[in-house]
Amino acid sequence: MPSLRGKAQTVLGPVEPEHLGYTLTHEHLAMDYSCSFSPPSPGQEPLSDGPIEMKNLFWIKQNPYSHKENLLLYQETDAVKEELLRFKAAGGGTIVENTTTGIGRDMNTLKKLAEETGVHIIAGAGFYVDSTHSSQTQAMTVEQLTGIIVDEILKGADGTDIKCGVVGEIGCSWPLTQSEHRVLQATAQAQSQLGCPIIIHPGRHSDAPFQLIRILQEAGADVSKTVMSHLDRTICDTKKLLEFAELGCYLEYDLFGTEFLHYQFHPDTDMPSDNDRITRIRILVDEGYEDRILMAHDVHTKHRLMKYGGHGYSHILKNIVPKMLIRGISQDKIDKILLANPKRWLTFK
Ligand SMILES: CCC(=O)NCCS(=O)(=O)O
């Protein structure tokens, strides 16, 4: 089998990293998030069912995980295709599609979207959080899990010959479960065998990213090829963020476009606004971490699509980049964050 060293691997095959262009490192194009349905507050049950309509859109934006249909992004392939074409027209080149086993990864749809839009799509290998692990996954050894992840990259995933190009998002809960711990060790082993990029979904506690990097390191992973996702909602304290940045992984702000009052998955956390995200990125840039920052929207529900009045996949390029410039982050730094850093991360070592 030819080596992937020096290449990035899309669902249409290996490409020269120079061809990736502006890259969103954490998105979903087809997935089923029913596993995370949150029952609505008493009295609001009728709002859970039925279609997405203007008259319930504000409620859905505040309670995205309590509306059943909102969780079925896989039903929206036509709208996603249209919005990928908008992303491309806005200057976008590549989407890293982080849907892993447990939340409805669909390799054939990803390949079709890549063929029909010309956007490079890089698919994710591995497993989402414990609550989605099958009984077989729960029973596997680290070696068996490693074998599956390696095969998804070298041979193809889900019975297809379509190959993944990153490992993740690897789902982790807080506290971390035993099965998730084994998957993390397998991720590290696959990473050290293949030199591939890896990306982690941390549990919702500010200590979680530290713990996960330690486990990966102990299992032999290359931290410099590792992305810690969802820092927006995970480390809100600046001193702790700068301590974490010292560990050397990529620091991902990937919930751009998500603005709500009440974070259903963790009400103790105030979800930052896009302006807050830009402020935190500016702090990291000022502290010298411009070579480790990544950005994305993590679209994973229908209401984030433009079809439903959402921001779509072009929000960062169209709206956030101009605001970053106003806030004193130069185009040169923005090009590192959206172009050079993803390219370096996605290139097999
Ligand atoms: C599958 C999508 C996903 O996990 N998104 C992260 C949502 S959150 O935990 O950051 O709220």
Side-chain angles (χ1 to χ4, degrees):
M1 197 158 305
S3 165
L4 287 165
R5 182 173 301 156
K7 299 269 199 277
Q9 179 154 272
T10 75
V11 290
L12 299 183
V15 296
E16 292 301 326
E18 284 67 36
H19 296 158
L20 295 177
Y22 285 113
T23 299
L24 300 173
T25 49
H26 197 132
E27 303 294 343
H28 299 270
L29 305 175
M31 65 167 275
D32 181 349
Y33 209 31
S34 302
C35 63
S36 293
F37 177 72
S38 302
S41 315
Q44 300 191 334
E45 293 85 353
L47 288 162
S48 270
D49 296 304
I52 301 172
E53 295 177 296
M54 277 303 264
K55 67 181 178 195
N56 61 13
L57 199 48
F58 182 74
W59 184 82
I60 292 172
K61 285 181 175 176
Q62 298 301 315
N63 301 276
Y65 307 111
S66 297
H67 188 275
K68 290 178 187 156
E69 196 203 300
N70 194 35
L71 306 177
L72 311 179
L73 185 64
Y74 69 87
Q75 295 176 336
E76 298 294 343
T77 305
D78 289 345
V80 166
K81 178 181 161 187
E82 197 177 307
E83 298 188 25
L84 281 180
L85 290 170
R86 284 176 186 258
F87 168 69
K88 193 175 166 196
T94 299
I95 299 260
V96 182
E97 215 283 1
N98 280 248
T99 306
T100 42
T101 298
I103 47 174
R105 182 176 53 197
D106 181 348
M107 299 300 286
N108 287 308
T109 294
L110 300 187
K111 183 176 179 197
K112 194 159 179 279
L113 284 168
E115 285 167 345
E116 291 178 358
T117 64
V119 172
H120 295 297
I121 297 175
I122 296 181
F127 302 85
Y128 194 56
V129 298
D130 182 280
S131 59
T132 69
H133 292 185
S134 67
S135 49
Q136 290 101 308
T137 302
Q138 300 265 1
M140 281 183 198
T141 62
V142 173
E143 287 64 35
Q144 288 169 320
L145 292 163
T146 307
I148 290 177
I149 294 172
V150 168
D151 281 354
E152 288 179 349
I153 291 184
L154 295 184
K155 297 183 180 162
D158 304 332
T160 73
D161 61 358
I162 307 165
K163 300 172 186 74
C164 297
V166 302
V167 183
E169 60 185 302
I170 294 300
C172 300
S173 310
W174 181 267
L176 192 71
T177 71
Q178 288 186 0
S179 189
E180 289 168 343
H181 193 271
R182 284 192 292 277
V183 170
L184 269 180
Q185 290 172 311
T187 297
Q189 291 198 3
Q191 203 277 325
S192 72
Q193 279 181 39
L194 301 175
C196 59
I198 65 179
I199 178 162
I200 309 297
H201 162 114
R204 297 178 190 95
H205 191 288
S206 60
D207 290 342
F210 294 85
Q211 179 201 31
L212 301 174
I213 292 293
R214 195 181 63 247
I215 292 169
L216 285 166
Q217 254 171 336
E218 283 170 4
D222 178 351
V223 173
S224 76
K225 295 291 286 175
T226 302
V227 175
M228 191 56 65
S229 303
H230 312 323
L231 285 179
D232 331 37
R233 54 83 165 148
T234 313
I235 305 183
C236 301
D237 175 73
T238 302
K239 185 164 166 283
K240 198 158 186 177
L241 176 64
L242 295 177
E243 254 173 60
F244 182 70
E246 279 179 32
L247 300 186
C249 68
Y250 287 99
L251 310 162
E252 191 177 74
Y253 283 82
D254 51 29
L255 294 165
F256 273 96
T258 302
E259 301 206 345
F260 43 54
L261 194 59
H262 173 67
Y263 178 36
Q264 289 185 283
F265 290 152
H266 198 253
D268 284 353
T269 298
D270 285 339
M271 180 61 80
S273 66
D274 281 352
N275 282 327
D276 296 330
R277 292 183 178 97
I278 292 169
T279 300
R280 291 183 196 174
I281 288 175
R282 173 73 203 258
I283 291 169
L284 288 168
V285 168
D286 287 349
E287 293 291 330
Y289 292 108
E290 66 207 47
D291 293 329
R292 308 311 296 174
I293 304 166
L294 298 170
M295 288 166 61
H297 311 94
D298 188 17
V299 170
H300 55 277
T301 48
K302 289 190 184 190
H303 81 288
R304 313 265 310 273
L305 298 175
M306 296 175 86
K307 174 179 173 185
Y308 294 105
H311 51 76
Y313 299 96
S314 314
H315 177 54
I316 288 176
L317 292 179
K318 283 196 165 161
N319 308 316
I320 301 298
V321 165
K323 188 67 193 273
M324 290 169 83
L325 289 166
I326 291 170
R327 287 288 166 261
I329 304 175
S330 66
Q331 189 62 53
D332 171 53
K333 303 266 195 304
I334 292 169
D335 284 350
K336 286 189 170 189
I337 295 170
L338 291 171
L339 200 69
N341 297 349
K343 180 172 105 177
R344 189 186 324 107
W345 172 55
L346 289 166
T347 303
F348 281 63
K349 244 180 170 176

